[in-house]
Amino acid sequence: MGRIIAISSGDLQSTAPINEYAVNMIKGNTKNLLFISTASHDAEGYIESMTQVFGELGCQVRALKLTTGSYTTEEIEEMVFWADIIYVGGGDTIFMMNIWKQYGLNKLLKEVYEKDTAVLMGISAGAICWFDCGCTDSELAIIRDGLKYGWANDMLGIHSYAFCPHYEDRVEQFDALLQEKQIDAIALESDTAFVEENGRVYYIKCREEAKVFAFKYTDEGHERYEIELENPFAVYGEDTKL
């Protein structure tokens, strides 16, 4: 088992403590970060910001640009296994996964997890991808009448949960969508993250009022409960399992 940091939402400033936490999880002396920018269609401004922010944390940063670049299978493999951290950016979740499957990147990322060669992390779309499915505003999602969001299904499935980022903005929408799923779920407000470290699951946050919710599926539906996070940026819910 490997290491995952799934950040709900926020920006590079508000999530700075989580980014630093990820860098500190690196094993060994190198700090190589691969930014996968597929969900944003390889937005250059996003890539520049990531390079600057993680460069200041001592990382050498490279970007894998699958929508604007051209790569052989060998080149993609070299970049993926060069990395000590693989950061997946936000954007269009379903578009991102469709592109990954064309290149076989979905299988490579699962191999990274299984071999624990890098910390796998991401935000929003880049957080949804590690789970079975997630709540998304992707243009490719099937949106139900009266709802603004739909499901991004067939994600990497490393963790068998439905995942909701930006939960403070999607409470009613996600709770309604979740009635379609017979699965446990996690819903995170901004500036929080789900963390798995070699089988140990916990949550971190960097904003005092931020909240984390879990949903347990039962025969009577989903039971929601809050995972208590008392202080800003500390480790909570150690060994929490749904």
Side-chain angles (χ1 to χ4, degrees):
M1 291 182 287
R3 293 163 289 165
I4 291 175
I5 300 179
I7 307 169
S8 169
S9 52
D11 56 40
L12 286 169
Q13 290 184 331
S14 68
T15 61
I18 298 175
N19 298 334
E20 185 174 354
Y21 189 89
V23 172
N24 290 335
M25 287 177 69
I26 294 175
K27 301 173 181 178
N29 296 322
T30 62
K31 294 183 180 181
N32 298 330
L33 184 140
L34 180 64
F35 179 48
I36 301 178
S37 50
T38 317
S40 67
H41 297 251
D42 299 329
E44 285 297 334
Y46 198 177
I47 294 170
E48 291 170 4
S49 296
M50 287 290 297
T51 301
Q52 178 180 344
V53 166
F54 279 93
E56 292 173 354
L57 292 174
C59 295
Q60 181 179 346
V61 181
R62 297 167 68 182
L64 179 59
K65 298 185 280 190
L66 295 179
T67 62
T68 61
S70 177
Y71 303 88
T72 65
T73 300
E74 291 76 17
E75 287 171 335
I76 294 173
E77 290 179 353
E78 185 276 327
M79 295 178 75
V80 166
F81 290 106
W82 163 86
D84 301 301
I85 297 178
I86 297 175
Y87 190 114
V88 180
D92 190 327
T93 312
I94 298 175
F95 168 82
M96 174 187 74
M97 190 58 63
N98 288 343
I99 296 295
W100 286 6
K101 289 176 180 178
Q102 293 175 25
Y103 284 93
L105 182 60
N106 56 321
K107 296 178 180 179
L108 281 177
L109 292 176
K110 294 179 80 169
E111 184 178 348
V112 168
Y113 173 79
E114 291 163 1
K115 294 181 177 179
D116 192 24
T117 61
V119 178
L120 297 169
M121 66 182 300
I123 191 166
S124 193
I128 291 172
C129 66
W130 313 114
F131 298 91
D132 272 5
C133 57
C135 178
T136 182
D137 58 359
S138 170
E139 292 182 1
L140 298 175
I142 298 174
I143 307 298
R144 282 70 167 168
D145 289 344
L147 298 180
K148 297 181 353 187
Y149 304 100
W151 286 112
N153 292 308
D154 300 319
M155 298 289 106
L156 296 178
I158 293 174
H159 286 283
S160 298
Y161 303 137
F163 182 81
C164 181
H166 310 269
Y167 184 58
E168 64 266 47
D169 299 324
R170 304 181 180 186
V171 174
E172 294 182 5
Q173 303 277 322
F174 180 67
D175 291 3
L177 281 171
L178 193 56
Q179 296 178 23
E180 303 173 5
K181 299 285 186 181
Q182 297 180 355
I183 189 173
D184 293 339
I186 298 167
L188 306 186
E189 294 187 351
S190 59
D191 304 324
T192 65
F194 165 99
V195 184
E196 189 223 346
E197 191 173 0
N198 302 118
R200 174 177 167 235
V201 172
Y202 54 96
Y203 300 86
I204 56 179
K205 69 172 181 176
C206 42
R207 184 168 52 85
E208 184 171 6
E209 62 271 25
K211 296 179 180 180
V212 170
F213 296 91
F215 295 76
K216 182 69 177 179
Y217 177 72
T218 69
D219 291 340
E220 297 178 354
H222 288 89
E223 178 184 351
R224 188 183 82 167
Y225 58 94
E226 182 179 348
I227 297 175
E228 294 294 334
L229 310 178
E230 295 178 357
N231 301 308
F233 199 68
V235 175
Y236 304 98
E238 189 169 318
D239 298 320
T240 296
K241 301 288 186 183
L242 294 185

